[in-house]
Amino acid sequence: MEKIFIYDTTLRDGAQTEGISYSLQDKISIAKRLDSFGVDFIEGGWPYSNPKDTEFFAYFRKHPLRNAHLVPFGSTAHPARPAHTDKNLTSLLKSGTEYVTIFGKTWDLQVKEVLRIGLDDNLRIIRESVAFLKKHGKKVFYDAEHFFTGYKANPEYAIKTILAALDAGAHLVIFCDTNGGTLPWEITRIAQEVREVISLGNFGMHCHNDTGMAVANSLACIEEGCVHIQGTMNGYGERCGNTDLVTVLGALVLKMGCHVSCEKNMGQLTELSYFVSEVSNMIHHDATPFVGRSAFAHKGGIHIDAMLKNPLAYEHIDPLLVGNHRRFVVSELAGKSSLVLKAKELAFDLDKKSPRAKKIHKLIQDLEAQGYQFEAAEASFKLLLEREFRKYKKFFELLGFRVIVEKRDDGRLISEATIKIKVKGVLRHSASEGDGPVNALDSALRHALRDFYPALSKMHLSDFKVRVLDAKEGTAAKVRVLIESQDEKESWTTIGVSGNVIEASYNALADSIEYKLLKDVKANA
Amino acid sequence: MEKIFIYDTTLRDGAQTEGISYSLQDKISIAKRLDSFGVDFIEGGWPYSNPKDTEFFAYFRKHPLRNAHLVPFGSTAHPARPAHTDKNLTSLLKSGTEYVTIFGKTWDLQVKEVLRIGLDDNLRIIRESVAFLKKHGKKVFYDAEHFFTGYKANPEYAIKTILAALDAGAHLVIFCDTNGGTLPWEITRIAQEVREVISLGNFGMHCHNDTGMAVANSLACIEEGCVHIQGTMNGYGERCGNTDLVTVLGALVLKMGCHVSCEKNMGQLTELSYFVSEVSNMIHHDATPFVGRSAFAHKGGIHIDAMLKNPLAYEHIDPLLVGNHRRFVVSELAGKSSLVLKAKELAFDLDKKSPRAKKIHKLIQDLEAQGYQFEAAEASFKLLLEREFRKYKKFFELLGFRVIVEKRDDGRLISEATIKIKVKGVLRHSASEGDGPVNALDSALRHALRDFYPALSKMHLSDFKVRVLDAKEGTAAKVRVLIESQDEKESWTTIGVSGNVIEASYNALADSIEYKLLKDVKANA
């Protein structure tokens, strides 16, 4: 199979995601990580439109990347300006990179209604813009915006635009499905028609996910002979996102047998995906193909039985190939054998017929009857096993807490928590205000612990879920709180159940902190 | 285009999602909603494996659905048992439905290693199981487990298994990509090969999303002539999930021009998707195709400019077609017509161009920016309209409250609330303990009101849900509380949002009580 080039635009198109707002430092740290992972190209930003992006390129002129080519993004020249006076184009030159990317119009309707110029003028602009950059020694990626939509409207004209770019010396033309509305078999048909005019070895693919097809569309093009895929980590991007390069890499390397520069690092794919979600401050979705926390999690009883006989039955690849791992979910749907398996997965050797297995099984059943649900709270499950197996010393002991929420007559709202704990024989009594009662309690607890365990500053809560059990009891019902925490390496979930939302939250918080401290002790052992 | 049948397995395969745990009531409410939306088939569960599922079918024998066929799921007979003595098969008959689904083995390796029987024995079991159900008057869907993997390993045998099912009278055979590892062009090739033997009008498709291809694979099969798609709402399911029927419906109806039973209700697609995620207590992902909050959100400056010139530039469909709306992330401009429509539905006559419409629209946008979401809280939405239209007098006025939760040194946990309100000019200051802080507050509020409004004793809270917004902010995040209340006549849902779970709960509680009082006033007017 031919080699496929990976072009990452997390820092440019991915930054358009609603809710993502990268600092310069965020962008630098993601670029370095992508570089060490081994993507071929990193689109760093649009220097003309954004001073932060100009600084970004300046930084890497001083501290060059080791593997990847950094690429600035821009557009073809303004219709009213010759290329050499167009600041958007000249700013690309100033970035000091070997490669640059510009986008231009393919769709006749856009030429007429958005640029408001003649069709031939657009061809001239494409030619002149590419030629100008080429003359200054740049290798040019030409993004053919709305290629498929444009092709469907006017195939002859769409072809003319890409030929204009290639004739002017573009290194590669990228088919863009800009509004994300094209379906895979349309992509295949159009790619085959283009191939009758010019080899697809000159083409790459840039998709959006508005019909959930970005990955399928990108791979469909590779099947037809394209050589380059643009996308983002975790599929970040405007609206429904861009092509998810994480999924693309899994499929390209492990399912299609293609070669990519980063293939030796595929075992880091899961960690890379988490790293970018962490820096982007986005939740990592459990169901993400290849790298999600649930991607190789088995819950159904028959699945678990069949898995024991042959893992191929419900796993299309070995999870270790992408740095993920198999998990057996403890749930009402499975029995004692899944407990034993789950324990084994977590490195506890539990004999199904032992009194210990019986004891733990009973304990879990009792907790589940109270409303605990360990399938979503593996870290709490692991702590439960640790307590049964290793009888380790607790990192701290709760003596009491008080939380006050007051809505005053003047409308002000105050949340305050005090907490009393014993740590390493020392009594600590601390207080904190917060944005709400749980935040105040979290804050007071960390405050009491921080002198003893400075590593806690490296973890933070990333998700917080509350489910009311027996909801028909209304506000007197039991409450299940799930807290997801994250540090720079992984995420974990803990659970607390109580008739009182504050106590349930405290229980989940305490487990979360204990889990972090325990795993650090082990990592340093 | 031919008609495509939609088969929803949210309640069976979707229930395998890590973190989902449906109560019987959850299952019933989802089934009713799917029915009124208009899916063709609802796979309700596996009655043999789960007593909750048996109850589910019993409920619907008493309260039949209006549109959809309910379908129980099971497997072919156990190798060691004749079909008529196999409890798994006989329990399907007991469900009392017109259709049943069973799965059987296609993959020779699984027959040998999981069932541990001969290849011919497996064919016999398939034939006998289907024939048994057929003989008892059932229409049988036969799920050909691992069809594509099996076909790749041994195409002749895979074909024999599906012919065995069809010969024995199966209504339809469903190709299953059970481990989710098949790529779209493989699906297309295999479907075309099967078509040489037998018409694809006999087939449906059931995919898993382990390579991010479930939707693409399902639609690829439809392109080749299959007539039925199985999947789940929001793509719930084990590991990386099943085919997302929400995306499938968007693509089938709006991109491919296929006919489906629910096509007249496509404008409710977004609401349906949110409803199921609420009942499942799962986060609704912003980037979800068609129905995500960001699916038609425009952030980039050039995109917004181009959108104003021609919306087709960055929208592949009109968002209203699926009940979603265009949003500009910097400044919200859209959604006014749906507000007018919704108001009309609630009997408020709102002229789209009136200053009042403008004012309410602005108010809703502000509230939505804070995290309010009225789809799930119609009672609060109605109160908002009442306040704007009728300027009615408030039933009571909050002056302040204080809630204390204390975990004492002896391990006891106390929740106490005090509240100060003004009712009909009278100041009331009351206190109450409770099972938790919200229960204490609810109790104190009712205590203060009961002399003035005795009808409140007739209402109670029937559900209480908490969702954390911007979950990545951890415990400092905003909290959305939904409270469902009920009296002897109806149930209604109200919403409260705050950075503080206690205040959010108070807001939802207060709305809930106000709604009750207002509707009683109207009923007596």
Side-chain angles (χ1 to χ4, degrees), chain A residues 261-512:
Chain A
S261 300
C262 51
E263 65 194 57
K264 66 178 187 306
N265 293 330
M266 286 296 287
Q268 300 168 22
L269 193 65
T270 300
E271 212 179 316
L272 173 69
S273 170
Y274 270 100
F275 174 84
V276 177
S277 87
E278 178 71 352
V279 176
S280 308
N281 213 10
M282 298 291 277
I283 290 172
H284 198 274
H285 298 323
D286 287 350
T288 310
F290 296 99
V291 300
R293 201 173 72 99
S294 303
F296 301 92
H298 304 280
K299 181 170 165 184
I302 33 159
H303 282 205
I304 293 177
D305 281 354
M307 283 295 304
L308 291 177
K309 291 174 181 159
N310 179 355
L312 282 176
Y314 299 99
E315 284 178 359
H316 66 121
I317 60 154
D318 177 349
L320 288 178
L321 294 174
V322 291
N324 207 342
H325 64 280
R326 177 179 307 152
R327 293 170 50 235
F328 291 102
V329 172
V330 182
S331 85
E332 56 168 342
L333 301 175
K336 210 189 287 178
S337 23
S338 71
L339 165 64
V340 170
L341 265 177
K342 181 76 201 170
K344 194 173 165 193
E345 176 199 317
L346 298 173
F348 293 92
D349 191 15
L350 191 60
D351 176 358
K352 191 173 165 182
K353 288 176 182 150
S354 65
R356 177 181 271 165
K358 201 176 258 175
K359 186 184 165 203
I360 294 176
H361 190 237
K362 175 82 173 58
L363 180 61
I364 288 170
Q365 282 182 322
D366 291 350
L367 288 168
E368 282 187 344
Q370 286 172 43
Y372 277 80
Q373 196 196 13
F374 290 102
E375 58 175 271
E378 194 169 294
S380 286
F381 180 71
K382 200 169 174 183
L383 284 175
L384 182 154
L385 291 181
E386 291 279 0
R387 284 173 198 132
E388 289 303 318
F389 272 78
R390 321 228 203 268
K391 309 276 180 206
Y392 72 91
K393 219 172 139 236
K394 283 185 140 194
F395 291 93
F396 61 94
E397 188 193 342
L398 176 71
L399 300 177
F401 62 72
R402 184 193 298 125
V403 176
I404 299 177
V405 177
E406 187 172 354
K407 177 92 174 179
R408 298 193 177 154
D409 294 16
D410 60 6
R412 278 179 64 212
L413 188 72
I414 307 289
S415 299
E416 188 203 66
T418 59
I419 192 164
K420 234 183 331 184
I421 59 172
K422 208 181 225 173
V423 201
K424 298 180 178 176
V426 181
L427 183 85
R428 284 277 162 139
H429 194 165
S430 71
S432 181
E433 288 197 352
D435 287 321
V438 181
N439 183 241
L441 191 57
D442 180 35
S443 178
L445 177 59
R446 283 161 181 268
H447 187 79
L449 288 170
R450 67 179 173 192
D451 294 343
F452 302 92
Y453 307 114
L456 292 180
S457 67
K458 297 271 194 250
M459 74 173 264
H460 69 273
L461 306 186
S462 51
D463 199 359
F464 178 71
K465 275 191 186 170
V466 183
R467 165 107 217 197
V468 178
L469 311 171
D470 291 328
K472 48 188 185 290
E473 301 293 324
T475 54
K478 274 209 173 169
V479 173
R480 179 196 293 146
V481 170
L482 290 173
I483 285 184
E484 189 178 295
S485 306
Q486 211 169 307
D487 62 12
E488 66 276 27
K489 291 209 186 76
E490 59 167 328
S491 69
W492 61 95
T493 303
T494 53
I495 186 169
V497 173
S498 165
N500 188 308
V501 64
I502 306 295
E503 186 177 52
S505 303
Y506 174 80
N507 293 342
L509 276 175
D511 259 15
S512 173

Side-chain angles (χ1 to χ4, degrees), chain A residues 65-244:
Chain A
L65 293 173
R66 277 174 303 171
N67 305 303
H69 294 281
L70 215 58
V71 190
F73 177 84
S75 80
T76 48
H78 188 281
R81 276 191 292 273
H84 69 279
T85 66
D86 185 278
K87 281 197 183 137
N88 156 61
L89 288 177
T90 54
S91 70
L92 292 175
L93 298 182
K94 283 187 200 140
S95 300
T97 57
E98 184 181 348
Y99 290 82
V100 300
T101 295
I102 54 170
F103 76 95
K105 301 287 181 206
T106 320
W107 188 5
D108 55 0
L109 174 139
Q110 280 229 316
V111 174
K112 292 178 215 157
E113 296 196 7
V114 178
L115 290 188
R116 293 172 181 168
I117 58 174
L119 294 182
D120 285 341
D121 280 337
N122 181 48
L123 296 178
R124 179 186 50 76
I125 290 168
I126 296 171
R127 263 195 309 271
E128 288 177 3
S129 301
V130 173
F132 169 77
L133 294 166
K134 172 97 175 155
K135 195 181 80 184
H136 287 83
K138 302 296 167 190
K139 290 180 179 150
V140 182
F141 292 120
Y142 175 75
D143 280 2
E145 199 194 20
H146 284 295
F147 180 76
F148 298 95
T149 318
Y151 187 93
K152 285 191 254 179
N154 185 343
E156 294 76 20
Y157 186 69
I159 296 276
K160 277 186 189 169
T161 66
I162 60 179
L163 288 177
L166 286 169
D167 290 347
H171 180 70
L172 219 60
V173 167
I174 289 84
F175 297 135
C176 301
D177 184 27
T178 306
N179 70 16
T182 312
L183 301 173
W185 47 92
E186 298 176 318
I187 301 272
T188 300
R189 176 181 60 79
I190 293 173
Q192 287 168 352
E193 289 176 18
V194 172
R195 194 165 59 195
E196 307 213 333
V197 181
I198 183 166
S199 157
L200 292 182
N202 294 294
F203 292 94
M205 188 70 171
H206 173 114
C207 296
H208 288 260
N209 200 38
D210 298 72
T211 48
M213 300 293 177
V215 170
N217 285 349
S218 301
L219 298 179
C221 250
I222 297 299
E223 272 292 293
E224 298 307 319
C226 294
V227 294
H228 160 124
I229 294 187
Q230 299 194 352
T232 60
M233 288 292 115
N234 303 323
Y236 296 147
E238 201 165 16
R239 306 189 312 272
C240 306
N242 287 49
T243 303
D244 186 345

Side-chain angles (χ1 to χ4, degrees), chain B residues 178-485:
Chain B
T178 307
N179 70 17
T182 311
L183 301 174
W185 47 92
E186 297 176 318
I187 301 273
T188 300
R189 176 182 59 80
I190 293 173
Q192 287 169 351
E193 288 175 17
V194 172
R195 193 165 57 197
E196 309 214 332
V197 182
I198 182 164
S199 157
L200 292 182
N202 294 293
F203 293 92
M205 188 69 170
H206 173 113
C207 296
H208 289 260
N209 200 36
D210 298 72
T211 49
M213 300 294 175
V215 171
N217 285 350
S218 302
L219 298 179
C221 250
I222 297 300
E223 272 292 294
E224 298 307 320
C226 294
V227 295
H228 160 123
I229 294 187
Q230 298 194 351
T232 61
M233 287 293 115
N234 303 323
Y236 297 146
E238 201 165 18
R239 306 191 311 274
C240 306
N242 287 47
T243 303
D244 185 344
L245 281 184
V246 177
T247 309
V248 158
L249 282 168
L252 270 184
V253 179
L254 301 173
K255 313 288 303 184
M256 295 165 68
C258 294
H259 293 295
V260 293
S261 300
C262 50
E263 65 193 59
K264 66 178 187 307
N265 293 329
M266 286 297 288
Q268 300 168 22
L269 193 65
T270 300
E271 212 180 315
L272 173 69
S273 169
Y274 271 99
F275 173 83
V276 177
S277 86
E278 279 299 310
V279 176
S280 308
N281 208 24
M282 298 292 278
I283 290 172
H284 198 274
H285 297 322
D286 288 350
T288 309
F290 297 99
V291 299
R293 200 175 73 98
S294 303
F296 301 93
H298 303 279
K299 180 170 167 182
I302 33 162
H303 282 204
I304 294 176
D305 279 357
M307 283 295 305
L308 293 176
K309 289 175 181 159
N310 179 356
L312 282 176
Y314 299 98
E315 284 177 0
H316 66 121
I317 61 155
D318 177 349
L320 287 179
L321 295 174
V322 291
N324 206 341
H325 63 279
R326 179 178 307 152
R327 294 168 51 232
F328 293 102
V329 171
V330 194
S331 66
E332 296 240 4
L333 299 170
K336 208 186 291 178
S337 1
S338 64
L339 163 66
V340 171
L341 270 175
K342 185 78 201 167
K344 196 173 166 193
E345 181 194 321
L346 297 173
F348 292 91
D349 191 16
L350 192 60
D351 175 358
K352 191 173 163 183
K353 289 180 182 148
S354 64
R356 177 181 272 166
K358 201 178 257 177
K359 185 183 166 207
I360 295 176
H361 187 237
K362 172 83 172 59
L363 179 62
I364 288 170
Q365 283 183 324
D366 291 348
L367 288 168
E368 283 188 344
Q370 288 170 41
Y372 277 80
Q373 199 196 10
F374 291 100
E375 295 98 322
E378 199 167 290
S380 286
F381 180 71
K382 203 168 169 182
L383 282 176
L384 183 152
L385 293 181
E386 290 280 1
R387 284 175 197 129
E388 290 304 317
F389 273 77
R390 323 230 202 267
K391 308 273 178 209
Y392 72 92
K393 217 173 143 235
K394 281 185 144 199
F395 293 92
F396 61 94
E397 186 191 344
L398 176 72
L399 299 176
F401 62 73
R402 185 193 298 125
V403 175
I404 299 179
V405 177
E406 187 171 356
K407 175 93 173 176
R408 297 195 177 153
D409 294 18
D410 61 6
R412 279 179 62 214
L413 189 73
I414 307 290
S415 299
E416 189 204 70
T418 60
I419 193 164
K420 232 183 336 185
I421 57 172
K422 208 180 224 173
V423 202
K424 300 182 177 175
V426 181
L427 184 83
R428 283 278 161 141
H429 195 167
S430 72
S432 181
E433 287 197 357
D435 287 322
V438 181
N439 181 242
L441 192 57
D442 179 37
S443 180
L445 177 59
R446 283 161 182 267
H447 187 79
L449 289 169
R450 66 181 173 190
D451 294 344
F452 302 92
Y453 307 113
L456 291 181
S457 67
K458 297 270 193 249
M459 76 174 261
H460 69 276
L461 306 187
S462 52
D463 200 357
F464 178 71
K465 277 193 178 158
V466 184
R467 164 75 27 98
V468 178
L469 311 172
D470 292 327
K472 46 191 188 279
E473 302 294 326
T475 54
K478 277 211 171 166
V479 173
R480 180 196 295 148
V481 170
L482 291 173
I483 285 183
E484 188 180 296
S485 306

